[in-house]
Amino acid sequence: MPAPQESTALQNISLKHPWKEIQNTVRNICGPKPPQTISKSVFHFQEAEPTTEEVSAKQSGKMSPSLNFARKARKRNESPTSSQEKNSHEKNNSPQLQIQAITEELKSQKDLVKLLHRALESAQEEKRACTEYLHAPEEEDRLELIRHKVRQIVDLRQRGEVLEQEKLELEQCIGLKESHIGELKEHVQLLMEKNSAKQQVIMKQNEQLLIQIDKENTSSVGRETLQRQYRKIDSLMDDINAYKTQNQFLNSEIHQVTRLWRNTAEKETALLMKCSYLEARNCQIESKYLIALRKLQEVLPYLDAEYSEVIKRLIEDALQSDIKSPRQPSSMHYSPISEYDDYGFMIIPEYEVEHLKLLAKIQALEIRSNKLLTHDVVDKPLRIKWNNMGELSHSVELKTLVRCGIPTEHRKRVWKWLTSQRIRICDNHYKDLLRKCENAQHPASQQIELDIHRTLTNNKNFSNPTSEFIQKLRRVLLAFSWQNPTIGYCQGLNRLAALALLVLEDEESAFYCLVDVVENIMPAEYYSNNLAGSQVDQRVFKDFFSEKLPRLSTHFEQYKIDLSLITFNWLLVVFIDSLVSDILLRLWDAFLYEGTKVIFRYALAIFKYNEEEILKLTEETEIYQYLSFFTKTICDGRKLMNIAFNDMNPFPMKLVRNRRAVHMEKFKVELVELENLKREYMKSKQDLRSPGNDMGVSDDDEDT
């Protein structure tokens, strides 16, 4: 299998012109490598050893003038020779460094060529397998190919477990090396402290020696004491030299341990990337296997009973083999698929229909595979940019980052900042609204109670009736009904408030986010009694649909497909319960930053994403059936984002406002005409009503 660090180069290689692509990849990867510099330890130092003449001079207490002159001359002669030796040494080393750099570059080129050969071989093998499957004369051969793919999946899982075991052993080895390094550092610190203490003792002894020399300069006792002190100094100097030698040895040991630790860390990183690649590949193979099962499921009525039973058993086994929790806790990004994501949404929702279960699992596996393959290339650099961002301010760079998706750890802060830019948050205002809810009952409270328990049923925070999030959602919706009496409550607001609670966690922040969406971002009368703003946006969307997607528009007109049956709920609740949480939250990031035109962009992008599949359908019932679940086939959030913000351009907000104004005028005229028709009908009904129409109605209130 190819190493994961070259996965980006392999993704960009085209099989049509492989030689040109290989050359381009080599130019991008290879570059001038800086020569390595040899650094010395901070503990390394070297001193010139004193000559015998200097030692004898120290013992006598004085240095002769001739000896002093010879010492100065020797220092002058040594300085130029040392600089010349240094220059010659650098000249000799530079060609060696160049040869070493060229050798490493040649080695990397050879590895790259081997890697490309392996990738080409794997692609050819996959093509041959698909060809064998498509040209198999009998169903037994196809089932055998499927079983072969299952065996490959089991083999890949076993290899992943072996690599994980190797990773654990390397972590244990790193821990032992780090403990050894800590012990060596403590030992070095003790030696340094002991050395400094001995130097202080030497200084004190020298001071005492000078005092004694001044007092007893002529006495023999003073000479003996001086000789004794000199012997002590010599022994201390021997100790210092011994400690220097030991220090150099410890420095070399530290260098070796550090080198081993770096090599182990590099191996661990490579293993982690390889495990991520293998898991992504495993997800892709499993999703292809499920797609094949889904295709076979469609032709079950036309197969023999024996084959039908086999395929049904395979589908049941595939649906029951979900990995919902990791076997052991792990902080790595390639941990197995969990049951819920960071915000409590189910990764694989539970559907009653079997083909929807297959679609949900295929979507989860594809999303997982895309995350693993783009983590180091896309997600990690974006996360670094967000971590380096200080105070938030509107800019082109921030707009681009928000469109790519806000990381989980920064989303709460950015959403609060975006809300505060459009709405003034008053102290104690939310608490006053809660007190009003306690003192009086709002007319919409009954409808709120009915809708609360139907909110985000695929989220674990709202699936339990006694959950804390249920209580928070009830308070937020009641407070909003008192905040905006013209709307009070409208179905759909419960899902907007629930998503705000999941991200912001604080119910007061979620309340102001709901107020911001309803009163500032969305057009007026969007959630009114007649949903005038929502109906106008449906007409605006149809205009954009016919302009941006003319082929689909013609196709829908041919089979009389009403788009509003599909898109009305999308726009009303901003795609909640229609898209998976990963794509939904990325859409909401851009929606809170740019406004409602993001809704139109993503709605058009969803149809563009599945355009070719829709155009293949040639019956009205098939089209409606496909449109009812086709959002569950969207697996690549990056691709959908590129379609929304690149393929749908230009998309000015001024054009959206103008079309809303035109359609709103037409809608109001239609409402006036409808009211006139109602009045005429009621008037004609009263005129046609005769006095004897109530003869069959009894005025007796008694029961008989």
Side-chain angles (χ1 to χ4, degrees), residues 52-119:
T52 55
E53 295 176 354
E54 291 174 357
V55 172
S56 62
K58 286 182 180 179
Q59 290 178 355
S60 62
K62 295 181 181 180
M63 186 180 290
S64 64
S66 61
L67 182 60
N68 190 12
F69 178 78
R71 185 179 180 184
K72 291 181 180 180
R74 186 169 61 252
K75 287 184 179 180
R76 291 174 184 173
N77 292 330
E78 286 175 357
S79 59
T81 56
S82 62
S83 62
Q84 291 176 0
E85 290 176 359
K86 184 176 180 181
N87 293 331
S88 63
H89 183 66
E90 290 177 355
K91 291 180 180 178
N92 293 330
N93 285 339
S94 59
Q96 296 177 358
L97 293 175
Q98 291 178 2
I99 292 171
Q100 184 179 0
I102 292 171
T103 305
E104 291 177 355
E105 184 176 357
L106 180 60
K107 185 179 178 181
S108 64
Q109 298 296 329
K110 291 180 179 179
D111 293 339
L112 179 59
V113 172
K114 292 179 181 179
L115 184 63
L116 293 174
H117 280 299
R118 291 177 184 173

Side-chain angles (χ1 to χ4, degrees), residues 77 102 169-170 270 348-349 357 365 412 444 465 513 591 658 680:
N77 292 330
I102 292 171
E169 293 176 359
L170 289 174
I348 304 177
K357 292 181 181 179
L365 289 170
K412 180 179 178 181
C513 182
F591 165 68
N658 293 337
E680 291 177 0

Side-chain angles (χ1 to χ4, degrees), residues 48 102 116 124-125 159 199 208 223 230 241 252 315 421 426 462 467 485 524 548 570 581 607 619 622-623 660 697 704:
I102 292 171
L116 293 174
Q124 290 175 351
E125 288 177 2
R159 290 172 63 186
Q199 288 180 355
Q208 293 177 2
R223 292 192 186 93
Y230 273 126
N241 292 329
S252 63
I315 293 173
Q421 296 296 306
C426 303
F462 293 97
S467 173
K548 304 290 184 180
W570 290 1
S581 59
F607 283 101
E619 292 185 6
E622 289 182 353
I623 295 174
R660 277 175 174 163
V697 180
T704 57

Side-chain angles (χ1 to χ4, degrees), residues 360-593:
K361 189 172 181 182
I362 290 170
Q363 188 181 37
L365 289 170
E366 289 292 337
I367 290 174
R368 179 69 175 167
S369 175
N370 290 331
K371 281 185 177 180
L372 290 170
L373 292 176
T374 60
H375 179 268
D376 293 328
V377 182
V378 180
D379 296 337
K380 194 173 180 180
L382 287 175
R383 195 176 298 274
I384 292 173
K385 289 182 180 179
W386 278 105
N387 293 336
N388 296 332
M389 183 170 292
E391 187 177 355
L392 298 173
S393 61
H394 288 280
S395 62
V396 178
E397 181 184 4
L398 181 61
K399 181 179 179 181
T400 305
L401 289 176
V402 169
R403 284 182 173 183
C404 294
I406 304 172
T408 305
E409 60 270 21
H410 296 282
R411 182 170 280 125
K412 180 179 178 181
R413 175 173 69 98
V414 177
W415 280 29
K416 283 186 176 181
W417 175 76
L418 290 172
T419 302
S420 64
Q421 296 296 306
R422 287 184 293 264
I423 195 169
R424 188 171 65 89
I425 299 175
C426 303
D427 296 336
N428 299 324
H429 177 63
Y430 180 69
K431 295 179 180 178
D432 295 339
L433 292 174
L434 291 181
R435 282 193 291 269
K436 189 181 290 187
C437 296
E438 295 174 357
N439 298 330
Q441 184 177 4
H442 196 276
S445 59
Q446 293 182 354
Q447 185 62 41
I448 290 173
E449 288 297 328
L450 291 175
D451 289 347
I452 276 179
H453 299 289
R454 295 180 292 187
T455 304
L456 300 184
T457 55
N458 62 339
N459 191 287
K460 67 178 181 180
N461 296 309
F462 293 97
S463 59
N464 188 359
T466 60
S467 173
E468 182 183 359
F469 279 85
I470 294 288
Q471 311 302 326
K472 290 182 179 181
L473 180 61
R474 180 183 292 108
R475 290 193 292 268
V476 169
L477 292 175
L478 288 173
F480 180 81
S481 64
W482 288 105
Q483 160 75 16
N484 193 331
T486 58
I487 296 176
Y489 175 75
C490 175
Q491 287 185 344
L493 296 181
N494 57 327
R495 284 181 273 185
L496 300 179
L499 186 64
L501 273 173
L502 290 174
V503 176
L504 300 174
E505 298 176 359
D506 177 38
E507 58 181 281
E508 185 174 0
S509 301
F511 165 76
Y512 282 111
C513 182
L514 178 63
V515 173
D516 183 31
V517 170
V518 176
E519 298 182 359
N520 296 331
I521 299 178
M522 288 297 192
E525 302 182 21
Y526 214 83
Y527 300 98
S528 60
N529 293 331
N530 57 3
L531 300 177
S534 300
Q535 296 189 52
V536 168
D537 267 6
Q538 290 299 313
R539 301 182 182 187
V540 174
F541 176 72
K542 287 181 181 179
D543 292 345
F544 284 122
F545 189 82
S546 60
E547 292 177 6
K548 304 290 184 180
L549 303 171
R551 295 170 62 201
L552 275 180
S553 178
T554 305
H555 190 68
F556 285 166
E557 289 177 1
Q558 180 182 356
Y559 295 100
K560 298 179 181 180
I561 303 298
D562 187 3
L563 273 178
S564 61
L565 297 176
I566 307 298
T567 59
F568 188 83
N569 193 53
W570 290 1
L571 275 61
L572 187 67
V573 297
V574 196
F575 294 94
I576 298 176
D577 285 337
S578 297
L579 295 172
V580 292
S581 59
D582 181 62
I583 301 174
L584 174 66
L585 291 169
R586 192 178 300 167
L587 184 152
W588 265 72
D589 295 337
F591 165 68
L592 292 177
Y593 189 88

Side-chain angles (χ1 to χ4, degrees), residues 3-14:
Q5 55 265 30
E6 281 90 9
S7 61
T8 56
L10 294 177
Q11 293 173 359
N12 295 327
I13 290 178
S14 172

Side-chain angles (χ1 to χ4, degrees), residues 1 149-161 274-290 321 323 327 334-337 361-362 364-366 368-370 372-373:
M1 301 296 294
K149 291 296 181 181
V150 172
R151 289 194 293 270
Q152 286 184 350
I153 291 170
V154 173
D155 186 31
L156 287 174
R157 286 180 179 171
Q158 292 177 355
R159 290 172 63 186
E161 291 176 357
K274 191 171 184 178
C275 286
S276 299
Y277 178 81
L278 289 175
E279 187 179 355
R281 187 63 180 165
N282 184 21
C283 291
Q284 290 176 354
I285 293 174
E286 191 171 354
S287 67
K288 291 178 182 178
Y289 170 67
L290 293 177
S321 63
I323 304 175
R327 297 180 182 176
Y334 62 90
S335 60
I337 299 175
K361 189 172 181 182
I362 290 170
L365 289 170
E366 289 292 337
R368 179 69 175 167
S369 175
N370 290 331
L372 290 170
L373 292 176

